[in-house]
Amino acid sequence: MNTRGLRSQLKDSVPVTGLGTQIGAYGVQDTLRSGFSSVKNELLPSHALELSEKNFQLNQDKMNFSTLRNIQGLHAPLKLQMEYRAARQIQRLPFLQSSHLALDTLKGNDESISFEDILNDPAQSEMMGEPHIMVEYKLGLM
Amino acid sequence: MLNTSRPCQPQSGGFSFENSRRNAVLEGNLSELGYSSPKARKTGTTIAGIVFKDGVILGADTRATDDMVVADKNCMKIHYIAPNIYCCGAGVAADAEVTTQMMSSNVELHSLSTGRPPLVVTVTRQLKQMLFRYQGHIGSSLIVGGVDVTGAHLYSVYPHGSYDKLPFLTMGSGAGPAISIFEDRFRPNMELEDAKQLVRDAIVAGIFCDLGSGSNVDLCIITQAGVQYLRAYDQPAQKGKKEGQYKYKPGTTAVLTKTVTPLPLDIVDESVQLMDTQ
């Protein structure tokens, strides 16, 4: 429901991917897109909330599932996770916007409004992901 | 913006931290030169609320400050959440505004889903969970008051996510003067007129004793019967009329010497433009 301490986030089970160097053309670091490189930049997050926001949904789910398991037994989170997996599989291709309607209804996100719905709407973003790379990443070929 | 830190994964909504590193570097550069980065507009407020015999009265001043300059002389600090719940906001003006609007939408969705009119505790709980999630970076302190099926309630929520439930509350930079008025004269189960006068006096104390509060007093009276929103209930800080004439008569000061210096001017350029007068 709420954030845990930020210290525990840094060495937690969710890996800190995506903060590494960006290899641009010719195998060199892409300064235009990702700025100057330094070891500190890559290891530490730039804002106090960056890590906790990135992992927020995952941590929420983990906590809810463990509470459910303690109250109702193992079958409850297992069944729910099966339904989540099924709903997550019927999306559009990764570089297009899917509505996530089934997933939202299962999670209960269709009855609340938070900053994910107001700010930075992915449907309005100016850049589209590279279609081939995104599909290869999703299929695990990369 | 340029969300290229994760080019393979689909984008998600919410806060984007791409520019925070750049901002930190910029602030460092600016402070070396002796300048400071622009600050968010705060409300520099006095907000107050009490529980009286029939319900809840919320009061607020109407000044918004931009560091040391008055940015808005008549802003509204009492926000609508539900037909029976209102919320006063202090702290960063934009944060308070957006937070209360989101709460209003969430409470409406929740009450549609449950089929019951909303409770004040619901608003408080959602507020404190959201503010704790963002660890105080959303700088809004709020006083939530309303009358629901369980009675009249008044809560205050702080920017880091803590809350208090009390019969009288004040927040904002003018909270000190205002709470002193409450501590002196508050009694449980006051009548409507006494309670209105007490809240008005508390806000006026904040207006006169705190630089960040000023202009008018707004009141919002919530009872079982309905809501009365009194905008500009009192205007204590109006300029008074001047009592007499303070101009000096011509000839009051004697002229001792007079020197005239003509300025020589040369005609450089002369051009004639005809106007069309038809």
Side-chain angles (χ1 to χ4, degrees):
Chain A
M1 198 174 346
N2 301 316
T3 59
R4 284 150 50 184
L6 286 176
R7 291 216 140 250
S8 66
Q9 301 272 358
L10 282 176
K11 50 178 175 359
D12 212 324
S13 54
V14 182
V16 180
T17 54
L19 284 180
T21 40
Q22 298 311 310
I23 305 294
Y26 311 114
V28 193
Q29 208 259 344
D30 198 349
T31 319
L32 180 67
R33 293 222 180 87
S34 47
F36 296 105
S37 65
S38 78
V39 177
K40 192 168 84 149
N41 273 356
E42 278 133 44
L43 285 181
L44 296 176
S46 54
H47 193 273
L49 289 179
E50 185 171 355
L51 269 182
S52 84
E53 280 298 299
K54 203 157 83 126
N55 303 333
F56 183 73
Q57 204 54 47
L58 278 148
N59 284 337
Q60 278 264 68
D61 288 344
K62 270 204 290 191
M63 220 160 46
N64 289 340
F65 283 143
S66 77
T67 319
L68 254 188
R69 184 203 172 137
N70 291 335
I71 298 177
Q72 294 186 7
L74 187 57
H75 81 288
L78 276 184
K79 203 163 175 180
L80 276 176
Q81 276 178 327
M82 185 188 75
E83 291 181 10
Y84 283 17
R85 188 168 284 220
R88 215 178 297 139
Q89 280 180 342
I90 37 161
Q91 308 294 346
R92 306 182 74 189
L93 286 175
F95 53 92
L96 297 171
Q97 283 309 308
S98 337
S99 71
H100 300 289
L101 190 59
L103 204 53
D104 275 348
T105 313
L106 277 176
K107 286 188 178 164
N109 287 342
D110 61 336
E111 286 176 350
S112 71
I113 296 183
S114 72
F115 287 113
E116 278 81 31
D117 306 307
I118 303 175
L119 297 174
N120 217 9
D121 189 9
Q124 313 288 336
S125 88
E126 298 143 356
M127 302 223 349
M128 193 178 84
E130 179 74 18
H132 299 286
I133 295 183
M134 293 184 85
V135 172
E136 282 176 20
Y137 183 79
K138 182 178 174 197
L139 294 175
L141 297 174
M142 264 186 67
Chain B
M1 258 312 281
L2 281 179
N3 195 356
T4 49
S5 58
R6 290 190 304 275
C8 306
Q9 288 164 13
Q11 294 165 6
S12 55
F15 287 109
S16 160
F17 297 103
E18 285 159 3
N19 290 333
S20 39
R21 211 165 263 134
R22 176 205 75 172
N23 291 348
V25 168
L26 278 179
E27 264 207 61
N29 286 346
L30 278 178
S31 63
E32 270 169 40
L33 296 172
Y35 301 113
S36 65
S37 56
K39 295 216 172 13
R41 176 183 303 181
K42 302 190 97 171
T43 49
T45 310
T46 308
I47 49 177
I50 63 170
V51 177
F52 72 110
K53 193 176 80 164
D54 304 320
V56 159
I57 299 189
L58 299 172
D61 72 308
T62 56
R63 172 183 286 184
T65 51
D66 213 344
D67 244 351
M68 282 290 123
V69 174
V70 173
D72 191 347
K73 286 189 282 194
N74 206 358
C75 69
M76 284 177 49
K77 299 187 189 178
I78 306 185
H79 308 278
Y80 166 90
I81 302 254
N84 54 335
I85 304 175
Y86 276 71
C87 175
C88 307
V92 180
D95 289 348
E97 183 77 34
V98 165
T99 306
T100 48
Q101 282 177 344
M102 266 175 45
M103 280 306 121
S104 170
S105 309
N106 273 330
V107 147
E108 177 73 20
L109 284 172
H110 186 81
S111 81
L112 283 171
S113 158
T114 57
R116 300 179 175 130
L119 301 175
V120 187
V121 272
T122 316
V123 182
T124 311
R125 183 166 281 213
Q126 287 182 335
L127 264 176
K128 75 168 160 77
Q129 285 178 355
M130 189 192 86
L131 290 175
F132 183 70
R133 172 179 170 180
Y134 293 107
Q135 295 285 298
H137 282 100
I138 297 194
S140 57
S141 348
L142 305 152
I143 293 185
V144 187
V147 176
D148 53 33
V149 287
T150 53
H153 301 284
L154 190 66
Y155 292 91
S156 71
V157 185
Y158 289 82
H160 283 264
S162 62
Y163 75 104
D164 278 323
K165 182 180 193 327
L166 290 168
F168 59 92
L169 289 163
T170 61
M171 307 250 325
S173 57
I179 200 78
S180 66
I181 302 283
F182 276 161
E183 301 237 348
D184 187 28
R185 287 162 42 188
F186 176 81
R187 284 165 290 110
N189 289 332
M190 292 171 76
E191 294 296 326
L192 174 65
E193 288 309 315
D194 292 338
K196 270 163 72 172
Q197 188 64 26
L198 181 61
V199 177
R200 180 240 165 230
D201 288 344
I203 303 288
V204 163
I207 287 174
F208 285 133
C209 303
D210 174 44
L211 287 180
S213 319
S215 302
N216 317 329
V217 177
D218 284 349
L219 284 189
C220 183
I221 304 158
I222 310 174
T223 55
Q224 199 69 44
V227 171
Q228 221 188 344
Y229 194 127
L230 301 167
R231 185 118 167 91
Y233 174 71
D234 193 14
Q235 291 166 341
Q238 271 176 342
K239 251 176 150 170
K241 279 180 80 70
K242 288 203 171 101
E243 297 291 312
Q245 275 278 27
Y246 297 106
K247 285 200 162 87
Y248 293 105
K249 287 201 308 275
T252 313
T253 320
V255 178
L256 296 180
T257 51
K258 191 163 133 178
T259 327
V260 176
T261 316
L263 291 172
L265 293 172
D266 297 328
I267 295 183
V268 176
D269 185 28
E270 190 175 330
S271 69
V272 177
Q273 287 173 341
L274 289 170
M275 269 173 38
D276 189 6
T277 51
Q278 295 304 323

